């Protein structure tokens, strides 16, 4: 592990990067309007990002080769999705997800 | 979730997502401690860098002995999606002052973004500073505190993954995605479903040749582009 000073520098540098990426849209859009076509593009961003974050967890990457399936995560997604449809309650969905994956890891 | 936009409902609406922050925050603290970071560094990283996925990447790159600029570049690519999320939320904050806009932007995360997109469906497409700021603040504090506790527990728990805590965020995205699809009346269900299936395809193909830190932003850009295209062509 590198020195404390180096780690602190990394933390602050990365903090600046994430902060700038977070704040720029709010500063710019306060002054400017987005073109209509771009607003239409942005209307798809929520579902695409949420879906992409989920699907990313269902595979294991092997650069240059086909990804393999992350079976524990895929299996745990099934009761989690069912819990979503039945309960429509985030707390229940997350609890079912965590317990499902824990059970799958114990059993497999 | 109802249509109220007070600070109190902001806190109330955020509570269900907190288990995700607690689960992954604890897991991050434990993993970072095991990698050799102390509790102070863990808390500083959660408080300053404040980005779940990026923090895991930073720790693994520190362990691997990566250079300063390699780490910064990875974090930049991984977090570039914040630009798109910010642009989606910012129009709803346009009437607020510049300072309030900066405050909201500074603490926006994947989850409070997704939560605010869900909230829009209940409020007739408006958001308030008070509501989003309290959601952001609660999420931030929970993340910093739970990663600190995870770091302190570090040595005691040999294999945190055994408890399934790392699935908390994935479960949350499944839930938020489902809630978004059933609640968003501005977009046809079939169109949403088509975009989700395309995103699955893009993710699978992308995994073959796009490095993981670039993947999310590429898939988001392409998925949104396909969305516009099929909406114009078929809907």
């Amino acid at each position: 592990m590198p020195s404390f000073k180096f780690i602190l520098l990394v933390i602050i540098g990365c903090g600046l990067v994430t902060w700038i990426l977070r704040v720029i849209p709010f500063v710019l859009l306060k002054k400017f309007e987005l073109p209509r076509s771009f607003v239409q593009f942005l209307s798809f961003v929520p579902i695409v990002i949420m879906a992409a974050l989920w699907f990313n967890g269902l595979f294991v990457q092997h650069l240059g080769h086909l990804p393999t399936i992350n079976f524990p995560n895929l299996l745990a997604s099934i009761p989690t999705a069912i819990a979503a449809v039945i309960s429509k309650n985030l707390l229940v969905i997350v609890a079912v997800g965590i317990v499902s994956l824990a059970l799958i890891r114990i059993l497999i | 979730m109802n249509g109220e936009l007070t600070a109190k409902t902001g806190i109330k609406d955020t509570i269900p997502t907190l288990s995700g922050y607690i689960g992954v925050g604890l897991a991050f603290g434990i993993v970072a401690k095991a990698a050799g970071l102390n509790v102070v560094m863990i808390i500083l990283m959660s408080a300053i860098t404040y980005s779940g996925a990026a923090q895991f990447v930073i720790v693994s790159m520190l362990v691997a002995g990566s250079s300063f600029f390699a780490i910064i570049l990875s974090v930049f690519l991984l977090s570039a999606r914040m630009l798109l999320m910010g642009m989606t939320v910012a129009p709803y904050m346009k009437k607020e002052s510049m300072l309030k806009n900066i405050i909201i932007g500074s603490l926006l995360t994947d989850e409070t973004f997704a939560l605010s997109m869900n909230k829009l469906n209940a409020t007739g497409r408006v958001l308030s500073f008070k509501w989003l700021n309290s959601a952001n603040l609660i999420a931030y504090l929970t993340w910093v505190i739970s990663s600190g506790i995870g770091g302190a527990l570090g040595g005691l728990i040999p294999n945190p993954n055994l408890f399934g805590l790392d699935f908390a965020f994935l479960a949350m995205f499944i839930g938020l995605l489902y809630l978004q699809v059933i609640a968003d009346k501005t977009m046809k269900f079939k169109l949403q479903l088509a975009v989700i299936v395309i995103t699955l395809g893009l993710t699978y193909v992308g995994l073959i040749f796009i490095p993981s830190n670039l993947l999310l932003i590429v898939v988001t850009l392409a998925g949104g582009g396909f969305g516009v295209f099929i909406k114009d062509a078929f809907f």
Side-chain angles (χ1 to χ4, degrees):
Chain A
M1 188 50 70
S3 70
F4 181 76
K5 209 178 135 196
F6 181 81
I7 295 173
L8 196 64
L9 214 63
V10 166
I11 290 174
I12 293 170
C14 293
L16 261 177
V17 167
T18 56
W19 184 71
I20 289 167
L21 289 170
R22 283 188 165 109
V23 166
I24 278 181
F26 287 87
V27 173
L28 290 182
L29 293 192
K30 183 99 184 94
K31 300 225 163 67
F32 304 100
E33 289 281 343
L34 286 170
R36 271 188 69 87
S37 55
F38 195 69
V39 172
Q40 197 176 47
F41 165 78
L42 288 178
S43 70
F44 289 96
V45 166
I47 53 169
V48 172
I49 285 188
M50 288 181 237
L53 286 163
W54 172 29
F55 296 146
N56 247 321
L58 299 184
F59 299 103
V60 181
Q61 185 171 41
H62 310 281
L63 268 183
H65 301 275
L66 292 179
T68 49
I69 292 174
N70 182 329
F71 278 104
N73 280 358
L74 179 64
L75 286 177
S77 294
I78 298 167
T80 308
I82 294 170
V85 176
I86 295 173
S87 73
K88 299 182 176 52
N89 179 326
L90 270 183
L91 203 59
V92 175
I93 299 167
V94 173
V96 168
I98 291 175
V99 172
S100 307
L101 187 63
L103 286 177
I104 289 164
R105 286 207 176 119
I106 291 168
L107 296 174
I108 296 176
Chain B
M1 213 180 275
N2 60 28
E4 246 178 79
L5 281 166
T6 58
K8 210 175 137 193
T9 37
I11 296 169
K12 216 179 104 202
D13 291 340
T14 316
I15 286 172
T17 68
L18 293 184
S19 50
Y21 290 96
I22 295 170
V24 179
L26 285 174
F28 171 73
I30 295 166
V31 168
K33 184 69 189 291
L37 266 71
N38 63 36
V39 177
V40 177
M41 292 192 247
I42 292 169
I43 291 175
L44 281 177
M45 194 187 292
S46 285
I48 297 173
T49 308
Y50 189 43
S51 175
Q55 286 178 226
F56 280 96
V57 170
I58 294 171
V59 170
S60 62
M61 289 184 83
L62 283 172
V63 172
S66 305
S67 74
F68 178 78
F69 289 104
I71 299 177
I72 296 279
L73 183 65
S74 280
V75 169
F76 173 79
L77 296 173
L78 199 62
S79 307
R81 67 181 186 281
M82 300 303 306
L83 283 174
L84 292 174
M85 288 192 249
M87 281 191 267
T88 312
V89 175
Y92 299 99
M93 290 290 136
K94 210 176 166 84
K95 291 204 183 86
E96 305 288 352
S97 69
M98 183 60 95
L99 180 67
K100 284 182 174 173
N101 268 276
I102 291 174
I103 292 171
I104 289 293
S106 301
L107 293 182
L108 193 72
T109 66
D110 290 330
E111 296 74 29
T112 55
F113 163 75
L115 200 65
S116 64
M117 291 299 108
N118 272 215
K119 186 73 180 177
L120 284 175
N121 301 313
T123 62
R125 322 296 300 169
V126 282
L127 288 176
S128 77
F129 171 78
K130 272 186 191 163
W131 181 86
L132 188 47
N133 191 43
S134 30
N136 275 346
L137 278 176
I138 295 287
Y140 179 70
L141 290 175
T142 308
W143 175 252
V144 174
I145 293 168
S146 19
S147 54
I149 293 173
L153 291 175
L156 304 173
I157 302 166
N159 186 2
N161 282 350
L162 199 61
F163 298 102
L165 288 177
D166 50 322
F167 195 71
F169 270 143
L170 227 53
M172 202 151 73
F173 291 125
I174 295 173
L176 286 168
L177 177 64
Y178 177 75
L179 296 176
Q180 177 67 21
V181 168
I182 57 167
D184 189 351
K185 303 284 182 252
T186 63
M187 209 182 277
K188 284 196 181 109
F189 175 70
K190 275 186 188 164
L191 175 60
Q192 289 183 316
L193 204 62
V195 172
I196 291 169
V197 172
I198 288 171
T199 305
L200 175 60
L202 288 170
T203 305
Y204 186 82
V205 174
L207 279 164
I208 301 167
F209 64 98
I210 303 173
S212 57
N213 53 12
L214 253 175
L215 188 64
L216 262 180
I217 184 71
V218 173
V219 168
T220 307
L221 288 171
F226 271 108
V228 173
F229 174 73
I230 57 172
K231 189 181 179 187
D232 289 344
F234 303 107
F235 288 89

